[in-house]
Amino acid sequence: MLSDLTKIRNRKTGRFSSWDKSGRNADLWIVPAKSSVVLADIPGPAQITHIWMTQLNHYRECLLRITYDEGQFPSVLVPLGDFFCLGHGMVNSFQNALFSASTFFPYRFNKPCALNCYVPMPFAKRAVVELVNESDEVHRQYFYVDYETLETFPENMGYFHAEFRRTNPFSGWAPEIAVNVPQVDVVNAERTAWENNYVLLETKGSGHYIGCNLSVTNFTGNWWGEGDDMIWVDGYKWPPDLHGTGSEDYFNQAWGMQPNAFLRNGSSIFEGERGYQTSYVFHLENPVRFSKEIKATIEVGHANHLANEVSSVAYWYAEQPAPAVEVPPVTQRLAVRRD
């Protein structure tokens, strides 16, 4: 990244933002309930270099939607907070290699927060960035979408994708039993694992998976982990191409999760083993490359025995724009509130 700062390029830098075109200080957009607005419509070849957003609330009710090259489907479709690695409609301050957030109201629901994304998002012809307000209220949004033009769009350049998934609760077969006890030390292998693990990403085409965030609302009162990650590349086989050793291990930690937010792994929300959790991992130096399809999964508790609420965002690049999965209706994706 820093080496590119020395290169003089024949590119144009541009920005779409919510600045008040009257010259006054009302530098925000008002998005009516049950409506959407186009934040940026950028001709290509170009790439989005930075997105900044700040708002008062609606982190699960609003969606970020990005469509490329006159496509009939979005390739990014994620609730606003979850896209920036903040699950549960909760805010917190953290920083990693791709995202950051800053707030005066840590571990609070629906409070003001600044959100930043530095993921490069190149495209050949056009990118349309939209905000979809699915709440029953007016939404107030400040934003920047920064971009730069590209001289060409090389054949091997990928399109950035992101999609959201959620189960509430996951259908664990013994949620009353804690992890790491003999009763749940059962076999989860082959087709059973393929068909029953929690799915982080399942898509077809050619590209590379660069990581995810995972949010857990812990209903069980015990450690929510011990689930192995299992990632299949270009179809089913046993064992999978990548097989991990535990939930915290997949997020590059050990002996549970710790309250830290490193560049490539950590927790943007950490309330201990029995609270709300959002953890992330980015495969920046070690992306998982696929040529036909990929299925990235993780167990929820060993052998999928736990029944917590689980949601996730997967991030990947694809050779061609592909559709993100549909997001659950707004009433089915709101945070589970302990109160």
Side-chain angles (χ1 to χ4, degrees):
M1 178 181 66
L2 294 180
S3 62
D4 287 342
L5 290 177
T6 65
K7 297 178 181 178
I8 306 302
R9 299 180 185 274
N10 183 27
R11 295 180 178 180
K12 175 187 175 183
T13 301
R15 168 180 290 167
F16 290 81
S17 81
S18 57
W19 70 284
D20 187 346
K21 294 177 177 57
S22 74
R24 295 181 181 274
N25 195 37
D27 295 316
L28 78 165
W29 283 13
I30 305 299
V31 187
K34 308 297 183 182
S35 70
S36 64
V37 295
V38 174
L39 306 182
D41 189 341
I42 311 169
Q47 68 176 358
I48 297 170
T49 55
H50 171 233
I51 298 174
W52 167 85
M53 306 181 81
T54 190
Q55 55 292 303
L56 300 174
N57 51 8
H58 301 143
Y59 294 93
R60 272 276 167 92
E61 294 90 338
C62 286
L63 302 175
L64 188 65
R65 182 167 66 192
I66 302 178
T67 305
Y68 301 116
D69 296 357
E70 311 297 341
Q72 302 303 307
F73 49 79
S75 295
V76 173
L77 187 62
V78 181
L80 182 59
D82 296 83
F83 178 80
F84 292 90
C85 295
L86 289 175
H88 311 290
M90 183 179 284
V91 299
N92 192 30
S93 298
F94 77 95
Q95 179 182 9
N96 61 40
L98 301 180
F99 300 95
S100 69
S102 181
T103 182
F104 282 115
F105 307 95
Y107 295 96
R108 300 274 298 277
F109 292 102
N110 285 315
K111 291 294 183 180
C113 186
L115 307 171
N116 287 279
C117 170
Y118 295 94
V119 180
M121 305 180 195
F123 51 92
K125 299 177 182 178
R126 184 188 185 195
V128 179
V129 182
E130 298 173 87
L131 184 74
V132 184
N133 177 14
E134 295 188 341
S135 78
D136 295 324
E137 304 171 319
V138 165
H139 178 77
R140 294 169 172 81
Q141 187 68 61
Y142 300 80
F143 69 89
Y144 292 177
V145 179
D146 295 329
Y147 69 95
E148 65 179 12
T149 62
L150 300 176
E151 297 86 349
T152 61
F153 189 82
E155 291 184 1
N156 64 346
M157 186 170 284
Y159 291 80
F160 174 74
H161 291 65
E163 68 179 27
F164 174 82
R165 293 173 184 259
R166 188 199 196 190
T167 62
N168 181 29
F170 186 84
S171 56
W173 49 270
E176 72 283 359
I177 303 177
V179 299
N180 295 321
V181 297
Q183 296 94 310
V184 296
D185 191 16
V186 301
V187 175
N188 182 41
E190 300 180 334
R191 287 282 178 179
T192 300
W194 167 272
E195 295 171 0
N196 292 287
N197 289 357
Y198 177 83
V199 176
L200 298 164
L201 170 64
E202 187 170 17
T203 189
K204 296 186 182 299
S206 175
H208 49 270
Y209 167 58
I210 64 167
C212 71
N213 68 62
L214 182 75
S215 296
V216 177
T217 306
N218 194 342
F219 297 147
T220 63
N222 298 300
W223 160 229
W224 56 263
E226 297 308 316
D228 293 358
D229 60 289
M230 304 182 197
I231 303 176
W232 283 270
V233 175
D234 296 337
Y236 172 78
K237 61 186 75 68
W238 189 260
D241 301 82
L242 291 86
H243 195 306
T245 58
S247 304
E248 71 272 43
D249 305 342
Y250 177 58
F251 292 101
N252 292 342
Q253 301 208 331
W255 309 106
M257 299 298 297
Q258 291 88 50
N260 48 49
F262 298 131
L263 287 181
R264 291 163 181 80
N265 69 290
S267 295
S268 47
I269 293 175
F270 180 90
E271 287 196 332
E273 294 180 359
R274 295 169 177 79
Y276 296 105
Q277 180 86 27
T278 299
S279 301
Y280 60 86
V281 63
F282 298 123
H283 311 291
L284 303 184
E285 291 82 10
N286 56 326
V288 183
R289 304 187 188 277
F290 56 96
S291 59
K292 298 178 182 178
E293 60 183 273
I294 186 171
K295 186 173 183 178
T297 75
I298 192 168
E299 296 174 302
V300 179
H302 175 70
N304 296 309
H305 84 284
L306 294 180
N308 291 319
E309 183 265 328
V310 184
S311 60
S312 61
V313 179
Y315 307 98
W316 77 102
Y317 285 92
E319 186 176 35
Q320 297 294 331
V325 296
E326 290 293 325
V327 173
V330 63
T331 56
Q332 296 178 24
R333 65 177 188 260
L334 294 179
V336 177
R337 300 288 290 266
R338 287 199 295 266
D339 55 1

